[in-house]
Amino acid sequence: GAVVSQHPSWVICKSGTSVKIECRSLDFQATTMFWYRQFPKQSLMLMATSNEGSKATYEQGVEKDKFLINHASLTLSTLTVTSAHPEDSSFYICSAWGAGLTQYFGPGTRLTVL
Amino acid sequence: AQSVSQHNHHVILSEAASLELGCNYSYGGTVNLFWYVQYPGQHLQLLLKYFSGDPLVKGIKGFEAEFIKSKFSFNLRKPSVQWSDTAEYFCAVNGDSGGGADGLTFGKGTHLIIQP
């Protein structure tokens, strides 16, 4: 139980285009999901908290207009990287708050912007 | 602001050796503490967590951790490691404002290599 999936697992795009990443809780409902970013050989940094039916809460320094988050249902949150640039290349990981007061993590999405 | 410090970035041990990975945190309030493991090519998995109660917490795969409030520490231990324990280990913390609903602050991770 408590499985979180992400799609796609990797994506390559051209600079200036937008990319959407989906995060789904497969066997449980999650009113709260989180988006993290992980740079190579570094730790995960919380980007934003996504709440179903309301606006996301962004961490300081994260551009809300660049990283659009939509939590449209209790099992789906999406992160759209708008007008992506090479510096946005990273590993994006989502998590969902589930049973046992625990966050369950997805496998991550590798974004490469050319 | 919260912060988490993991003292060892790379650890190499032989099988059957004992393991202790250090984790210290900084936070002005009640915290929840976690250890996650990331095996090569896999996603983060929860090893154990501490919310309250007995400060000695037992997790999966024979791991345990002890919360020492006076030292702001939550060190991870295993008495005898196996080759399959080779992985990246992350200590994490969040505030206890919503029963765990806050995002996590992670340490930088410890890369553990177990030699056969």
Side-chain angles (χ1 to χ4, degrees):
Chain A
V3 177
V4 176
S5 70
Q6 281 185 243
H7 178 79
S9 55
W10 58 270
V11 58
I12 301 173
C13 70
K14 292 183 178 180
S15 184
T17 60
S18 294
V19 174
K20 180 184 283 189
I21 302 170
E22 292 185 349
C23 175
R24 293 182 185 272
S25 56
L26 297 185
D27 50 3
F28 66 102
Q29 294 183 329
T31 55
T32 303
M33 292 183 172
F34 303 90
W35 287 95
Y36 296 84
R37 185 172 177 176
Q38 186 177 28
F39 291 100
K41 298 186 179 181
Q42 294 190 31
S43 189
L44 287 79
M45 298 291 292
L46 179 65
M47 297 175 65
T49 301
S50 169
N51 294 300
E52 188 266 337
S54 64
K55 291 185 178 180
T57 303
Y58 292 82
E59 295 299 301
Q60 192 172 8
V62 177
E63 299 176 61
K64 59 181 67 176
D65 293 331
K66 166 168 276 296
F67 298 101
L68 300 179
I69 292 172
N70 183 24
H71 195 150
S73 77
L74 289 172
T75 58
L76 174 63
S77 175
T78 60
L79 169 69
T80 301
V81 183
T82 62
S83 187
H85 291 284
E87 57 266 29
D88 299 322
S89 298
S90 191
F91 198 54
Y92 293 89
I93 304 172
C94 73
S95 71
W97 185 50
L101 303 177
T102 299
Q103 287 185 36
Y104 297 92
F105 285 81
T109 296
R110 172 80 59 195
L111 171 64
T112 300
V113 185
L114 303 176
Chain B
Q2 302 175 59
S3 67
V4 178
S5 175
Q6 291 184 240
H7 315 302
N8 316 100
H9 297 300
H10 296 277
V11 174
I12 302 175
L13 295 172
S14 298
E15 276 193 315
S18 63
L19 169 72
E20 180 160 4
L21 300 182
C23 173
N24 286 90
Y25 67 93
S26 173
Y27 184 74
T30 304
V31 296
N32 302 313
L33 296 154
F34 306 82
W35 274 97
Y36 281 87
V37 61
Q38 187 172 31
Y39 297 105
Q42 297 188 26
H43 61 280
L44 283 162
Q45 299 175 37
L46 180 69
L47 272 179
L48 46 80
K49 60 188 178 186
Y50 173 80
F51 285 171
S52 64
D54 189 344
L56 184 60
V57 180
K58 293 193 183 298
I60 62 172
K61 305 181 187 239
F63 287 92
E64 65 178 31
E66 185 176 12
F67 170 53
I68 303 179
K69 188 175 181 179
S70 61
K71 295 184 177 180
F72 299 92
S73 69
F74 190 56
N75 292 355
L76 180 71
R77 299 195 292 250
K78 185 171 184 177
S80 177
V81 294
Q82 301 173 312
W83 177 78
S84 57
D85 292 325
T86 295
E88 191 84 20
Y89 291 80
F90 292 96
C91 181
V93 60
N94 71 357
D96 191 31
S97 63
D102 293 343
L104 292 169
T105 299
F106 282 86
K108 294 196 173 194
T110 296
H111 187 53
L112 175 65
I113 297 174
I114 306 300
Q115 296 177 329

